């Protein structure tokens, strides 16, 4: 399901995020914020929450049946407000 290698693990480690946290944020009913195309590959930006309540942005691409996490980082104050507001509205 999730596709990991040295490259994307290095990117999330730079933001002090563990592989399990990024996966949890994607499995716990994340909110799709927007999509974009990078080098002709669709990428999707999600806001999600880990089992411990950490709020993360997780950027992914889909390759076949696999989900590749491009990177992940903690939500900033504005993103946190957006996430909380959207959750309150039922997203």
């Amino acid at each position: 399901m999730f596709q990991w290698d040295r490259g994307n693990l290095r990117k999330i480690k730079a933001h002090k995020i563990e592989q399990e946290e990024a996966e949890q944020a994607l499995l716990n009913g994340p909110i799709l914020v927007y999509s974009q195309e990078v080098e002709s590959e669709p990428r999707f930006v999600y806001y999600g929450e880990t089992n411990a309540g950490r709020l993360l942005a997780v950027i992914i691409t889909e390759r076949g049946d696999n989900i590749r996490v491009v990177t992940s980082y903690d939500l900033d104050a504005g993103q946190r407000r957006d996430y909380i507001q959207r959750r309150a509205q039922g997203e």
Side-chain angles (χ1 to χ4, degrees):
M1 181 176 198
F2 291 101
Q3 185 181 59
W4 294 98
D5 61 27
R6 261 198 233 156
N8 58 354
L9 287 170
R10 180 178 40 79
K11 286 181 182 176
I12 68 167
K13 294 269 188 221
H15 296 283
K16 296 181 171 71
I17 294 170
E18 298 295 325
Q19 174 182 342
E20 295 79 16
E21 291 177 302
E23 291 179 5
Q24 287 171 10
L26 290 170
L27 294 171
N28 289 341
I31 296 171
L32 177 62
V33 180
Y34 65 91
S35 62
Q36 62 187 12
E37 201 161 299
V38 177
E39 297 173 8
S40 71
E41 182 175 64
R43 298 216 175 148
F44 304 92
V45 179
Y46 287 93
Y47 292 170
E49 191 169 344
T50 68
N51 294 348
R54 187 175 183 185
L55 300 181
L56 301 177
V58 185
I59 295 85
I60 67 158
T61 189
E62 296 172 357
R63 294 187 177 164
D65 292 335
N66 294 316
I67 295 171
R68 177 177 173 76
V69 173
V70 176
T71 192
S72 183
Y73 54 87
D74 287 294
L75 297 185
D76 65 24
Q79 292 166 327
R80 291 174 73 85
R81 277 192 304 274
D82 182 44
Y83 175 82
I84 291 166
Q85 181 179 38
R86 291 170 77 163
R87 279 287 177 230
Q89 293 172 348
E91 276 191 63

